[in-house]
Amino acid sequence: MIPLDGTTELNVAQHGTRACRLAKMAALGLPVPEGVVLSAADVSKIAETGEVPQVPAHLLKGLLSLRASPLNPDWGGPTAILNIGISDSTLPDVGEDAAYILYRRFIQSFATNVAGLEAEDFDSDLPDGAERIARCKASYQFETDEDFPQAPEAQLRACILHMARAWNRPSARILRQAKGAPEDAGFALVIQRMALGIGRGVSGAGAAQMVDEATGAARLWGRYLPQSQGQDAVIGARAAMGVEALPEAVQAALLKAGEVLAKGFGDAYQVEFTVQDGRLWLLDCSPARRSSVAALRINVDLAEAGVISKADAILRTEPQALGDHLHPQIAEHSERDILASGLSASPGAASGRVAFTPEAAMTMAAQGQAAILVRVETGADDIRGIHAAQGVLTLRGGMTSHAAVIARGLGVPCIVGAGELRLEAEVLVCPDGRRLKAGAQITVDGTSGQVLAGSAEMTQPNLGGPFKTLMGWADEVRELQVRANADTPTDARLAQRFGVDGIGLCRTEHMFFAPERVQVMREMILAPDAVARKAALDLLMPMQKADFVELFEIMRGQPVTIRLLDPPLHEFMPVDEAGMAALAQAMSMSVRQVARRAEELSEVNPMLGKRGVRVGVTTPEIYEMQARAIFEAAAEVRAITGEAVVPEIMIPLVSANREVELIKARIEAVATEGVAYKLGVMVETPRAALRAGDLAESSAFLSFGTNDLTQMTYGLSRDDAGRFMREYVQQGVYPEDPFLSLDVEGVGELLLIAAQRGRAANPALVLGMCGEHGGDPASVRFCKVAGFDYVSCSPYRVPIARLAAAQASLLAAKAG
Amino acid sequence: MIPLDGTTELNVAQHGTRACRLAKMAALGLPVPEGVVLSAADVSKIAETGEVPQVPAHLLKGLLSLRASPLNPDWGGPTAILNIGISDSTLPDVGEDAAYILYRRFIQSFATNVAGLEAEDFDSDLPDGAERIARCKASYQFETDEDFPQAPEAQLRACILHMARAWNRPSARILRQAKGAPEDAGFALVIQRMALGIGRGVSGAGAAQMVDEATGAARLWGRYLPQSQGQDAVIGARAAMGVEALPEAVQAALLKAGEVLAKGFGDAYQVEFTVQDGRLWLLDCSPARRSSVAALRINVDLAEAGVISKADAILRTEPQALGDHLHPQIAEHSERDILASGLSASPGAASGRVAFTPEAAMTMAAQGQAAILVRVETGADDIRGIHAAQGVLTLRGGMTSHAAVIARGLGVPCIVGAGELRLEAEVLVCPDGRRLKAGAQITVDGTSGQVLAGSAEMTQPNLGGPFKTLMGWADEVRELQVRANADTPTDARLAQRFGVDGIGLCRTEHMFFAPERVQVMREMILAPDAVARKAALDLLMPMQKADFVELFEIMRGQPVTIRLLDPPLHEFMPVDEAGMAALAQAMSMSVRQVARRAEELSEVNPMLGKRGVRVGVTTPEIYEMQARAIFEAAAEVRAITGEAVVPEIMIPLVSANREVELIKARIEAVATEGVAYKLGVMVETPRAALRAGDLAESSAFLSFGTNDLTQMTYGLSRDDAGRFMREYVQQGVYPEDPFLSLDVEGVGELLLIAAQRGRAANPALVLGMCGEHGGDPASVRFCKVAGFDYVSCSPYRVPIARLAAAQASLLAAKAG
């Protein structure tokens, strides 16, 4: 039996977490009630033998509490028993009413816990007082045939024995084993003098922390219930009040305690406390509650106060949670008229008008109106609608559904799986019967998952302050470059705002989908001969060049990796009759001819079809045009800014090195005198990974397109996997959706093989990863371990990747 | 200058191939005219210095021939010059007429070759005789201002010098360098006494071999032209006669020579010969000409005669050529009315009626008529038509086109790329203007690539005789098992006929496409609940079981690997309105509902979609039904035959071991008491190959589905690759179509990794390959090297695989 005064070192494996915390708090000089701990071995022996050791005599002179101190906080433990030692002859000196309350509470607690009686046997209409105590004792005697025990020592012994044995009840065993406890898991017991929250003067109990839960700002924050004990204020038996209701002195004591705890434990803490006649006692402590925004601020504040290191501040901040910093949020005080709830698929909030189709969303966006795209679920056809919308709401789908993945990538607030809502012929029906038509104003809160009626007041994201500080620290330690997947000047500017090191993936095909360009593209595809094809490409060249000029200007000398055309040509063909007719007229063909040509171009498995470098090899004029546009743009921007631009040209969907050689020769042939460039390969097929040694000899860099590489390694189309991915993850077939977090065992091994072979063949080879995984912290850590030079992800995930990269460097340094 | 009497060992690098052959023939005691060889170094020195060494005096006493002996037969060489040494004073004693013929031929040859004069200057209406000689000499004198040289030594020196220098003419250099000759390639010269085929008695020249070119049977076969020299009989200046026109004694001498050559050179040889006054002289020899059918017989006969080993007979036979043994061929004497020609895509010949659509072919087949499917090109929709047809003809496509690949797999004779033909509105237009309508009788000869009008007489394949002998020898040495991909009893019986060790791949889905079954399958797919789904599956179970009973009976205890359902469920849905309507009625649904459900099931990339084990995991009742059908069939067949059946159940499209565990548990739960079985995985995804170590712990065998594995490793759909595969192979992007011959560097590495990891985790693991590559000799050799236990291929390729497997074992044993 070790005293909890902090003079003896305790350890969790014997004394449990609560005892260790209390001892440490005592050692820090905080006001912890006097007490002792029975180790797990002691408790186990008690349960076996029924023999309870003697408690120090002086403790027995006041009231005591008995609380479990499990060796792992997840394992639970028997209910605490308070006010042990009270009896007819030992009523404490706290006023008669208060004393009877404490006595009645103990009898109830003892009867229901130790004696196993029904709680209702002790209910009563009588007010607290001598009469009610007598009635309680009589009930006890009636039910147990024994008098209620009066000797404090006997009470304590009975309570200890009860708790020691309660630990081994089958239901308790099963519950904790389900949480991973071993069969022989034990627990310790803490016996403490009671701080009486019921009695004279300012008395009561509560919980408080010294930082704001929502913002992390330093302020006293918590709940307090006068004339209460233990968890009363938290459980909410009566309405609790804010801690600001406490006297100044107690508040000051709490603030002081918070400071001491922060220093002592190295984090912002909350405390359970009792005030006894104006004096503060601390009963327990745990890390302060905090939103993700608050967590970042707390970590930065602690580091700036010198309580923790900058490295710890970086390591403690959850990269994924940074998303909450980057988006508008609903203001705290804003009224919430909740229509329904779903899954928080992409953080941030947005208000706008309901659009039931991607076309409607695009029309609204074109008219300058904010649109919220509402769909049962989304597919590839909806992508442009998601782009155009301010927020997305789907009735079906999980965290890995199409809408969720795309919206997260784009940074669009999104709620999925809002199954309470129904869609009936262009009307959204709410569970309370409200019916919203297209154009109705709603708000989606992707952070909470709530769908609200009308517009909500928003707080705008703050990329300065602690966020900026932490990102600065992260940039100091990280070794991986973080680039953005950015196709447009808008993307590139956004990426710059998020502190990017360059563009790792500029998908040029998006540049050809604009209406005035896609028509030329179609004419190029249908060109009857090389002359006509060249004429179309000559029209596209200046447009493409203008795109690159703008990108290079924005990126100001940072690397820009441009992927040559990737999709199969049929993606550019019109699918509707109007489009076919327009194209037929432009080409002097019949609509039927155009339709037949489109049909000929269509593919059974477009993902595995004639796309990427396969188009480049068989129709080399396209890549030549793109390369010329890149070179001329680079020369032009250098002439304007005086800064050299070194574009990086990336060949997609390579599966054999000869493909690279053929394209390389074509590009070299059109290179502009004096414009330096790098040529590299997007590694997306398993074969390219296996043959990385060959590729490295022809390439300056390899960038792993882990989206497609995952598809091919698993034989799994991302577009089609949605139908069963949820079930697969639930059944544990895949530990996680491999499109969200890199499959280290399969795809990851291909990356390692490729990195090793590539570097062996060409030590100067630059290695990068582009694709959704570039913004996944675990995948970023993998890239660091694999020796990559950079990761590239969507702009909104850039801060996440920067922080994850910093963590990876710190962890690698720790690992030695 | 080394004599060609066989007493001195010559070598090809100095003396060229002809000299070496002649020396060896002389050493074998064969009648080779006396002669000497000038080495390549000698010739090179002559060309440089112009100095010609002295020829042994006794040789100069008769007429001589001068022939090139290149160091590599592909490099060519200057034209031979005959009858050197003839002059006014040295006319040979062969009769005056003959002597003048020889003299005139020499003057012409010398004038055109050595002096570089025009041939027509020596044409004349005069008969051979003194007057014509005088005219020739006058022409020579007129053109060169020199008398025609009369000294034999001077003639020879001029001829040698000419030939030594002709070798270095620019056109000759370019030609041989195009054939891979190095820049300093040289050649040797053979000087031999003439055997005079013009003169008294039986005199003439010809070429003969001792085996039939078409069949390989031992018989004297060749051409002979009386009163001729050198290649006259072969060039066909006058109509040659068969060698059977020669006197018995000469024929006997030729047969004897053939025997000596076969023993000496270890192969059947053909000879160039001259008969001088009844005496046989051999001027050269080379391996006998032979068809692929003849080649096999020759190899077997040589081995049976003890000339070569059985191993050599196996190694010398080209596995691919076995196809010609397995199919009917057009009889040699049959008239050929050729309509057009194309590429020989699949061997064998077939006659039938023209069918322009797969439906028409199926209708004809149903009516018991032989159909020839004629298409511009084929796609997935044509497969059932190809199945139903006796032969296939396409106007487009190459050796790796869809039609070619499918037809080879099915053993259906096929011609592709017959671009001379045109298809005009259901009429096939031939280059000569003939127009064939549907139903017209034609013959496709897939061996020669000829399309013939009408029916041709056929010779039926002979799987006995030398074929059977060789396959028996192959089976004695091969270690790899050869199984067949067989889905139906018909396939299984065919496989048995081709000497198979079991079934390596039985695709169960084909069993559900029969009209009466596909309807039940559709009801199962659309079932609104588990009860209805079970009802449909209960209907399918006995059909499935009956399939397996028949297969197990045919295979009589040999292993049968049954792949559980693989395709995505949407493949079973109707695509036409009638089918939708029938299904809607059966399901009491609206046609619209059925169409919507079909639409919901459709996939963007079906190859990478919800198929294989993904259907098994998410709708486990299907695999349970199949497993039950397998177990009950095995029990029933054992009860009938008394022989144990050990079915092998294979799970398709695995990408994670948990999939195997889940299915394994389901199958174990329905296993029939007392029926042993093996459970294994079809390795088709790169991830399955990488994780083979895990899979091996749950599996008795791994079978590599290299078709799909190739698709995923390359990111290349076989259905869509046809559009550019030809161009890719032509440009050398891929050395070969990876769907025809295993990509050793990429897919092969995955196989090696998987084999190594699988065996490390489970040394008893059985490894196999199923897929098109199982019938490709190079791929079979790879499987042997990789330590596989079996390959499985389509029945028609089984003999090819058996022979290739034997070759692989022999080569492995040689390698050590």
Side-chain angles (χ1 to χ4, degrees), chain A residues 608 687 717 743 749 757, chain B residues 608 687 717 743 749 757:
Chain A
L608 306 176
R687 195 171 192 282
S717 157
D743 159 45
E749 183 174 16
R757 293 183 182 177
Chain B
L608 307 176
R687 197 172 191 280
S717 158
D743 158 45
E749 182 175 14
R757 293 183 183 178

Side-chain angles (χ1 to χ4, degrees), chain A residues 470-695:
Chain A
L470 186 78
M471 295 313 295
W473 295 345
D475 288 348
E476 283 168 20
V477 297
R478 75 177 158 95
E479 293 147 303
L480 273 175
Q481 271 190 34
V482 175
R483 300 189 186 178
N485 300 343
D487 307 337
T488 63
T490 311
D491 290 346
R493 280 190 205 98
L494 189 62
Q496 284 287 12
R497 200 171 146 228
F498 290 144
V500 86
D501 299 317
I503 291 178
L505 175 62
C506 170
R507 287 162 288 223
T508 50
E509 51 272 19
H510 291 183
M511 298 171 173
F512 297 119
F513 280 115
E516 71 279 12
R517 298 187 181 185
V518 78
Q519 180 67 20
V520 186
M521 194 72 188
R522 289 167 181 172
E523 290 172 28
M524 189 277 292
I525 293 167
L526 295 191
D529 53 38
V531 175
R533 187 154 56 234
K534 185 170 181 311
L537 286 167
D538 285 347
L539 284 176
L540 288 170
M541 212 293 261
M543 306 181 193
Q544 179 92 94
K545 179 181 157 188
D547 296 325
F548 296 139
V549 165
E550 205 174 344
L551 271 187
F552 293 154
E553 282 180 338
I554 294 167
M555 298 309 293
R556 320 198 53 164
Q558 288 188 326
V560 176
T561 310
I562 296 163
R563 180 176 73 181
L564 299 172
L565 194 77
D566 182 54
L569 295 182
H570 56 76
E571 282 200 9
F572 296 97
M573 291 297 280
V575 288
D576 56 335
E577 281 190 30
M580 298 246 188
L583 185 55
Q585 199 174 8
M587 299 294 297
S588 308
M589 292 168 79
S590 70
V591 175
R592 219 174 124 188
Q593 284 174 310
V594 171
R596 194 186 309 146
R597 191 78 184 93
E599 171 66 26
E600 281 170 11
L601 284 169
S602 74
E603 296 182 302
V604 183
N605 291 288
M607 176 59 57
L608 306 176
K610 186 173 174 181
R611 65 183 190 92
V613 71
R614 294 164 191 165
V615 174
V617 166
T618 52
T619 315
E621 304 95 315
I622 301 177
Y623 280 11
E624 281 172 358
M625 179 279 282
Q626 293 197 295
R628 259 200 302 270
I630 293 168
F631 294 133
E632 292 190 14
E636 189 168 316
V637 171
R638 189 190 43 191
I640 298 167
T641 65
E643 263 180 306
V645 176
V646 181
E648 302 185 354
I649 300 176
M650 182 156 72
I651 310 173
L653 207 73
V654 167
S655 64
N657 190 43
R658 180 88 185 123
E659 292 170 323
V660 183
E661 291 172 348
L662 289 170
I663 299 301
K664 192 175 184 173
R666 293 275 185 173
I667 289 176
E668 273 168 7
V670 301
T672 303
E673 188 74 35
V675 173
Y677 66 96
K678 293 179 182 172
L679 188 73
V681 166
M682 185 150 172
V683 175
E684 300 168 277
T685 67
R687 195 171 192 282
L690 292 169
R691 305 307 303 167
D694 304 347
L695 301 181

